[in-house]
Amino acid sequence: MNTPAIKSYDFHCHIDLYPSPTEIIIECEKRAAFVLAVTTTPEAWPQNKRWMQDKKFVRPALGFHPGLASNKKHEVSLFDSYIKETSYVGEVGLDGSKELNSSWGDQSYIFNHILQTCQREGGKILSIHSRKAAAHVIDALKNNSDAGIFILHWFSGSKKDLERAIDIGCWFSIGPKMAMSKKGTELISLMPKDRILTETDAPFASFNNRDVMPWDVSFVEKKLADIWNISLSETHAIFSKNFTNLINKLK
Ligand code: MN
């Protein structure tokens, strides 16, 4: 990929959940804004792939959101049939929130199945959800350590969870809300600088009373520059270097 031209990096964005995805894609291409466009169900893959084919800066990822585990369990075979079409997988993972208690069994079944599929295929980059389930997610990743490169999106586990995640080689993508919170800031300061990327999780995460767009990652860069106590241009250089290193691992 021709990386030097990229202006911003959003490694976790739900482009297909905006009211007009194709307009967002055109705008990203115009702005040279890289986006990993995660999806929430295997059924969404063909459409996303069509929208983003031949695009320079927007890449679709094949996903299965833990929040949809019970309703969409039957799509697990679809996931397997599409896996060869992509190097990017996400959003996948586990969610230990109370509201999703009853789907925990299905969530675990699907996440483990996906990790095994990725392990069999090899060479994938995964964007992973771990809300209130960090320890379980890390256990599953440890058991399937050849499933690919793991990027924990919006990580909110304990410091001990973080230590374990770092030990097994995980990367982290940081969005505006995480960078704004006290706990998020504390966790960020403990993460290896060479394994951090920016994200928005848009359109879910509104920010400063307006919708977040995929190119709105400069706020995160500013916060990280503060946390690391370095300049904004040095911070931006770290992200572009990290991005290039990560993408080069796919080859
Ligand atoms: Mn998400």
Side-chain angles (χ1 to χ4, degrees):
M1 185 196 290
N2 188 12
T3 45
I6 298 174
K7 294 260 167 45
S8 61
Y9 306 91
D10 181 354
F11 227 83
H12 184 111
C13 177
H14 297 267
I15 285 188
D16 66 348
L17 301 182
Y18 278 97
S20 351
T22 51
E23 281 170 32
I24 303 279
I25 293 166
I26 291 167
E27 190 61 29
C28 290
E29 291 289 310
K30 235 191 260 172
R31 291 168 176 262
F34 177 91
V35 182
L36 183 69
V38 294
T39 57
T40 52
T41 157
E43 206 176 21
W45 173 252
Q47 170 79 280
N48 276 267
K49 193 187 162 197
R50 258 196 311 278
W51 279 334
M52 297 163 202
Q53 67 188 357
D54 308 324
K55 295 292 179 284
K56 221 173 151 190
F57 301 100
V58 183
R59 305 286 159 98
L62 171 62
F64 207 143
H65 196 286
L68 300 174
S70 288
N71 292 336
K72 302 276 181 174
K73 197 179 171 187
H74 57 280
E75 288 186 33
V76 83
S77 59
L78 267 185
F79 184 94
D80 290 359
S81 60
Y82 295 139
I83 189 69
K84 283 194 194 310
E85 300 176 18
T86 183
S87 301
Y88 302 100
V89 170
E91 174 169 10
V92 295
L94 297 172
D95 192 313
S97 305
K98 266 200 196 104
E99 318 84 83
L100 293 173
N101 239 342
S102 62
S103 74
W104 183 257
D106 289 336
Q107 287 187 43
S108 306
Y109 165 76
I110 291 166
F111 187 47
N112 280 300
H113 179 97
I114 285 171
L115 290 174
Q116 280 157 24
T117 299
C118 290
Q119 181 140 305
R120 206 164 50 237
E121 292 297 318
K124 308 295 181 197
I125 288 178
L126 291 78
S127 182
I128 300 166
H129 175 113
S130 58
R131 183 169 55 195
K132 294 194 159 69
H136 292 280
V137 165
I138 295 158
D139 287 343
L141 299 180
K142 229 177 156 173
N143 289 335
N144 298 275
S145 56
D146 294 327
I149 300 161
F150 307 132
I151 303 170
L152 295 174
H153 124 81
W154 200 336
F155 181 80
S156 57
S158 67
K159 284 185 192 170
K160 186 163 175 272
D161 295 331
L162 176 63
E163 231 169 81
R164 290 179 65 219
I166 293 169
D167 279 349
I168 61 166
C170 289
W171 288 58
F172 304 90
S173 56
I174 315 288
K177 285 220 167 131
M178 180 174 178
M180 257 189 302
S181 78
K182 192 171 171 267
K183 188 188 174 188
T185 305
E186 225 178 291
L187 291 170
I188 292 164
S189 70
L190 299 169
M191 291 171 179
K193 273 198 197 71
D194 59 353
R195 280 192 249 154
I196 296 189
L197 300 158
T198 45
E199 65 160 59
T200 61
D201 204 15
F204 295 123
S206 71
F207 168 63
N208 286 349
N209 292 322
R210 66 173 181 91
D211 289 342
V212 175
M213 304 310 277
W215 47 87
D216 285 336
V217 287
S218 53
F219 173 81
V220 181
E221 293 197 351
K222 270 183 212 133
K223 290 297 276 189
L224 281 257
D226 287 347
I227 293 169
W228 291 336
N229 199 19
I230 57 175
S231 73
L232 205 50
S233 62
E234 284 170 299
T235 309
H236 189 76
I238 288 174
F239 288 124
S240 61
K241 192 171 167 213
N242 290 353
F243 175 82
T244 306
N245 287 343
L246 181 70
I247 297 297
N248 284 342
K249 286 179 198 286
L250 281 179
K251 290 167 192 158

